[in-house]
Amino acid sequence: MAAYKHHAFSSFIILTLFPLLLQFQFGKSELQLNYYSESCPKAEEIIKQEVTKLYYEHGNTAVSWLRNLFHDCFVQGCDASLLLESVNGIESEKASGRSFGMRNFKYVNTIKKAVENECPSTVSCADVVALSARDGIVMLGGPHIEMKTGRRDSKESYAKIVEEFIPNHNDSLSSVLSSFQSVGIDVEGTVALLGAHSVGRVHCVNLVHRLYPTVDPTLDPDYAEYLKGRCPTPIPDPSAVQYSRNDRETPMILDNNYYKNLLKNKGLLIVDSELASDPATLPFVQKMASDNDYFTEQFSRAALLLSENSPLTGDQGEVRKDCRYVNTN
């Protein structure tokens, strides 16, 4: 009996201490809440303050932070590879056609600089991307999402494979669902994340094929006429920045109006329209259209999953001093 107790106690010690020994050997290797509580306790508050200040100066920044999270985390994980500039042999992911219309990258550096002034070389750009998205969602009237931190920054760009991961503007619903599934987000979560289109806009260059030479019959006729007013020519000038918003009623609020519009055949992209016609997604669209709380609950769940997709942690990667460039050691 004594030998059994000794064996059980030894097993308990091993099972309890082994994970701790791994942490001491390799450093913190998992994302965790309040990762910077000791190394930079004001980090999350500083990021929140900067996001809030930028929102009141440039309201569309909050939308940019949300899109940054999607584009960064979808391509090889949440590692701020998106932010790297084309320099010293690096080709920027921002130059990809999938990044068309993305903006406000310079203000990411504004946020990063504020954190660097408080805690040099401590808070990663990948965490700045995640936390600015979290706080941007709140500024857009969406839910507060408790996001873990501890991500590290990539030392390379994945520009050559961006198009393998980021869906095209006019990919089919089945293709989009497959892309989201590849990063662990189910159908219900995908429908919720596409609700981010509520605060999005579509440039005419990605829209005119549904209007010319003939109008897509799945579009509401009156809505199609409105879209033609926004995009009056089948060959729009990209430099003219012609676009239409998904949600004309509450264009800067992350809410369920997007789904209400889909049920009225007022979806801008093909994937928007197909959400409301595919039997796999229609029930979720209907439920989100009728219950904003359900939408925000599922949006929070899916955004959290996305924010934790294959991050670099522990001793992987680095913590960039400037989000635009790999450190020069």
Side-chain angles (χ1 to χ4, degrees):
M1 183 68 178
Y4 171 78
K5 287 184 177 180
H6 176 75
H7 175 74
F9 179 73
S10 299
S11 299
F12 172 77
I13 291 295
I14 291 171
L15 290 172
T16 303
L17 294 183
F18 186 64
L20 297 176
L21 291 172
L22 286 177
Q23 280 199 8
F24 280 123
Q25 182 177 356
F26 298 109
K28 295 179 179 177
S29 58
E30 301 293 335
L31 299 182
Q32 54 190 267
L33 292 173
N34 303 311
Y35 179 87
Y36 299 107
S37 59
E38 294 182 8
S39 59
C40 190
K42 295 182 180 178
E44 295 197 25
E45 183 59 31
I46 290 171
I47 292 171
K48 180 180 178 180
Q49 290 173 354
E50 292 297 317
V51 166
T52 302
K53 183 168 66 175
L54 285 165
Y55 173 79
Y56 287 115
E57 293 175 357
H58 315 280
N60 58 27
T61 53
V63 181
S64 296
W65 309 151
L66 181 52
R67 190 174 178 189
N68 284 355
L69 181 73
F70 170 70
H71 278 255
D72 186 48
C73 291
F74 234 74
V75 182
Q76 298 292 86
C78 308
D79 58 7
S81 61
L82 169 71
L83 304 179
L84 289 170
E85 295 284 355
S86 295
V87 66
N88 296 330
I90 289 177
E91 180 184 353
S92 178
E93 294 175 24
K94 293 181 283 186
S96 167
R98 295 291 198 270
S99 301
F100 178 74
M102 296 187 74
R103 51 193 171 155
N104 293 318
F105 288 112
K106 63 182 179 181
Y107 296 124
V108 177
N109 298 320
T110 300
I111 299 171
K112 172 65 169 172
K113 185 176 180 180
V115 179
E116 282 292 304
N117 288 340
E118 177 73 17
C119 309
S121 301
T122 303
V123 179
S124 69
C125 297
D127 278 339
V128 169
V129 169
L131 294 176
S132 61
R134 178 194 70 180
D135 297 331
I137 288 168
V138 173
M139 299 310 297
L140 293 168
H144 175 78
I145 303 169
E146 286 291 342
M147 285 190 180
K148 296 178 181 178
T149 42
R151 299 165 188 79
R152 303 266 292 180
D153 300 327
S154 172
K155 296 181 181 180
E156 59 183 317
S157 165
Y158 303 106
K160 296 186 184 301
I161 58 173
V162 166
E163 295 190 5
E164 296 177 21
F165 291 89
I166 302 292
N168 194 11
H169 281 87
N170 285 296
D171 277 352
S172 67
L173 176 60
S174 61
S175 176
V176 171
L177 290 175
S178 177
S179 294
F180 277 84
Q181 185 178 26
S182 71
V183 296
I185 298 174
D186 58 18
V187 174
E188 187 176 25
T190 300
V191 175
L193 280 184
L194 288 174
H197 288 180
S198 173
V199 291
R201 62 183 190 176
V202 176
H203 290 262
C204 289
V205 68
N206 292 312
L207 182 59
V208 289
H209 69 285
R210 301 193 71 196
L211 303 174
Y212 305 99
T214 57
V215 172
D216 184 332
T218 63
L219 279 172
D220 173 83
D222 292 336
Y223 187 57
E225 285 304 308
Y226 160 76
L227 293 178
K228 280 189 169 184
R230 298 292 300 176
C231 306
T233 171
I235 307 177
D237 177 5
S239 63
V241 195
Q242 295 172 305
Y243 65 87
S244 180
R245 293 192 179 277
N246 261 303
D247 180 359
R248 294 161 60 192
E249 287 79 21
T250 56
M252 291 298 289
I253 298 177
L254 185 63
D255 60 16
N256 65 342
N257 265 345
Y258 166 73
Y259 304 101
K260 295 176 182 178
N261 288 331
L262 297 188
L263 295 175
K264 298 174 184 175
N265 298 316
K266 295 181 178 180
L268 286 181
L269 299 175
I270 289 175
V271 68
D272 297 324
S273 294
E274 291 185 346
L275 275 180
S277 60
D278 191 294
T281 54
L282 176 59
F284 298 127
V285 171
Q286 292 171 325
K287 189 171 181 180
M288 290 179 192
S290 63
D291 188 344
N292 193 65
D293 289 340
Y294 167 68
F295 159 60
T296 57
E297 174 187 314
Q298 293 304 316
F299 182 88
S300 297
R301 179 181 68 85
L304 191 60
L305 285 171
L306 180 62
S307 74
E308 297 178 6
N309 179 42
S310 302
L312 299 178
T313 57
D315 296 327
Q316 298 173 312
E318 64 180 9
V319 174
R320 289 185 219 139
K321 289 187 67 66
D322 186 320
C323 293
R324 299 171 295 176
Y325 312 111
V326 172
N327 293 339
T328 54
N329 297 322

